[in-house]
């Protein structure tokens, strides 16, 4: 039996017979010994298991750099920098004068990716941190923060609507085979429950992202946070998607259904982000919403669409941008 298999069986016993899908994802992605981001991932992009907008097209770095130049912050913190390509492009586009005046910080949880970033960003003035708390401490709490495709990399809770109400997805492991079980649970705070859904509908909620933001929010005194990811506002998120949006990626192949949970640690697992939840959770922390739009609208606003290839013009509608501000 693999390390992951033995660990998860033991965990299942400790948790009373099943493992909530969110906890399974936490281990499959971030367990220090076998988690995908902790040990398996080598890079992000065409040579990796999945590509991101940042590794396919440079419009994003132009849009982000233009936004930073308008804002003129003293500190910029990028969270989850992948292979470092976006950071490098943003730094280049800032130009020497802004680079001189701005300290660029990266918060990265994955050791293999941090090594990749250090290699790629050699020669640039970048400070790495293990957590957003550490990064904010070094900026006295004043910083502009941004991320691309970060919330979707957080474990999510999965719920299914049944005749008896919403139930949470747990996994049950027997002889290395994983089956699904629906278990009654207290519902987390999410706008997704405000809408009518058919029986059988599955939804994902990135509650772990909310808890993570709540932990570092008290250390953030002023600045803006720019969040870019694939997803939608709550009302449209599951339109014609009764099975939800959970999926996996390995060697650029998309996995769906139960395949996502096979071979934990060997694939990325992700789900679309509910941007209405991100807005609401930030509002609860005292952050105001400044921009909530599609990525395409944001890139247009920043004058970054001139050389955007056709497929990206369409994909730009599937990605969203949220800018929230913390004022002291
Ligand atoms: C899907 S990748 C996106 C990478 C990059 N931003 C891009 O667009 O190519 C998610 C990134 O977030 C990082 N990450 C995930 N959870 C994190 C956390 N809690 N703190 C910092 N980085 C995290 C991962 O290691 C990875 O670098």
């Amino acid at each position: 039996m693999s390390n992951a298999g033995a660990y998860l069986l033991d965990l299942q016993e400790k948790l009373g017979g099943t493992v909530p899908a969110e906890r399974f994802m936490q281990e499959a992605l971030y367990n220090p010994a076998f988690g995908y981001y902790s040990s398996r991932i080598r890079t992000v992009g065409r040579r990796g298991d999945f590509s991101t907008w940042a590794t396919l097209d440079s419009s994003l770095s132009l849009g982000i750099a233009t936004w930073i130049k308008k804002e003129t912050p003293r500190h910029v913190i990028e969270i989850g920098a992948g292979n470092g390509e976006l950071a490098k492009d943003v730094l280049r586009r800032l130009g020497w004068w802004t680079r001189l005046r701005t300290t660029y910080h990266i918060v990265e949880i994955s050791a293999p990716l941090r090594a990749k970033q250090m290699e790629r960003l050699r020669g640039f003035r970048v400070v790495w941190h293990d957590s957003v708390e550490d990064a904010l401490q070094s900026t006295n709490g004043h910083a502009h923060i941004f991320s691309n495709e970060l919330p979707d990399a957080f474990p999510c809770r999965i719920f299914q609507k049944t005749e008896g109400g919403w139930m949470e997805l747990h996994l049950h492991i027997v002889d290395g085979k994983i089956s699904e079980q629906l278990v009654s649970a207290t519902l987390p705070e999410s706008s997704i429950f405000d809408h009518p859904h058919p029986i059988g509908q599955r939804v994902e909620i990135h509650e772990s992202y909310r808890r993570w933001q709540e932990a570092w929010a008290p250390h953030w005194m002023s600045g803006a946070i720019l969040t870019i990811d694939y997803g939608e506002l709550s009302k449209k998120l599951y339109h014609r998607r009764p099975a939800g949006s959970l999926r996996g990626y390995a060697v650029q192949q998309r996995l769906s259904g139960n395949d996502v949970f096979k071979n934990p640690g060997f694939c990325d697992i992700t789900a679309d982000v509910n941007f209405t939840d991100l807005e609401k959770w930030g509002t609860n922390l005292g952050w105001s919403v400044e921009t909530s739009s599609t990525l395409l609208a944001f890139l247009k606003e920043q004058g970054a669409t001139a050389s955007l290839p056709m497929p990206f013009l369409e994909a730009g509608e599937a990605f969203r941008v949220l800018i929230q501000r913390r004022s002291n």
Side-chain angles (χ1 to χ4, degrees), residues 7-286:
Y7 180 92
L8 289 165
L9 262 188
D10 191 44
L11 180 66
Q12 172 169 271
E13 201 176 308
K14 284 191 186 126
L15 295 178
T18 59
V19 182
E22 184 200 43
R23 180 62 191 272
F24 187 97
M25 277 174 74
Q26 173 66 37
E27 303 299 340
L29 296 176
Y30 299 107
N31 182 288
F34 62 81
Y36 176 74
Y37 281 100
S38 322
S39 63
R40 172 127 188 123
I41 194 166
R42 290 292 160 262
T43 191
V44 176
R46 287 197 173 97
R47 292 176 174 199
D49 288 300
F50 62 91
S51 300
T52 60
W53 186 298
T55 60
L56 294 174
D57 184 76
S58 63
S59 54
L60 202 59
S61 60
L62 179 57
I64 293 169
T66 308
W67 177 73
I68 293 172
K69 277 175 151 176
K70 282 184 201 158
E71 293 278 330
T72 62
R74 173 78 189 75
H75 294 278
V76 171
I77 302 174
E78 179 181 358
I79 311 176
N83 69 8
E85 206 169 325
L86 182 60
K88 191 169 179 175
D89 281 354
V90 168
L91 278 161
R92 273 202 195 122
R93 289 181 188 278
L94 286 180
W96 71 271
W97 175 239
T98 310
R99 273 203 305 275
L100 202 67
R101 297 182 64 253
T102 315
T103 307
Y104 200 96
H105 304 255
I106 289 180
V107 177
E108 180 52 66
I109 202 177
S110 161
L113 288 180
R114 186 193 278 225
K116 194 99 209 150
Q117 292 157 19
M118 288 181 160
E119 195 184 301
R120 180 162 267 138
L121 291 162
R122 203 166 289 145
F124 287 95
R125 196 164 50 94
V126 175
V127 190
W128 275 267
H129 306 269
D130 290 333
S131 67
V132 185
E133 286 91 327
D134 285 354
L136 286 171
Q137 208 153 26
S138 77
T139 70
N140 289 323
H142 304 287
H144 275 45
I145 302 170
F146 81 89
S147 69
N148 182 54
E149 300 186 37
L150 174 72
D152 75 79
F154 274 64
C156 54
R157 291 181 72 182
I158 304 173
F159 293 88
Q160 183 167 324
K161 190 169 178 179
T162 71
E163 296 285 356
W166 288 98
M167 308 273 271
E168 182 157 17
L169 182 72
H170 282 224
L171 301 168
H172 183 56
I173 311 158
V174 183
D175 296 334
K177 292 213 165 53
I178 295 176
S179 60
E180 299 185 345
Q181 279 188 14
L182 294 176
V183 171
S184 58
T186 312
L187 300 187
E189 182 195 324
S190 173
S191 56
I192 207 64
F193 301 119
D194 299 343
H195 308 287
H197 296 280
I199 300 293
Q201 178 70 52
R202 278 222 176 148
V203 299
E204 300 91 9
I205 299 168
H206 288 97
E207 200 195 18
S208 66
Y209 186 75
R210 176 173 71 76
R211 290 195 300 267
W212 171 81
Q213 276 194 329
E214 278 175 4
W216 59 255
H219 302 269
W220 190 33
M221 297 303 146
S222 75
I225 179 166
L226 163 65
T227 309
I228 304 169
D229 214 326
Y230 38 82
E232 247 305 349
L233 294 175
S234 181
K235 201 173 160 191
K236 288 205 218 153
L237 189 55
Y238 293 105
H239 184 58
R240 296 197 184 143
R241 295 164 104 187
S245 69
L246 193 79
R247 56 203 180 267
Y249 289 98
V251 279
Q252 302 279 339
Q253 299 297 309
R254 185 185 164 117
L255 310 172
S256 58
N258 208 295
D259 286 349
V260 167
F261 302 119
K262 287 179 186 161
N263 301 317
F266 280 79
C267 68
D268 184 31
I269 308 177
T270 180
D272 278 17
V273 174
N274 180 336
F275 273 81
T276 309
D277 277 355
L278 296 196
E279 286 180 25
K280 181 78 196 329
W281 296 341
T283 305
N284 292 347
L285 295 169

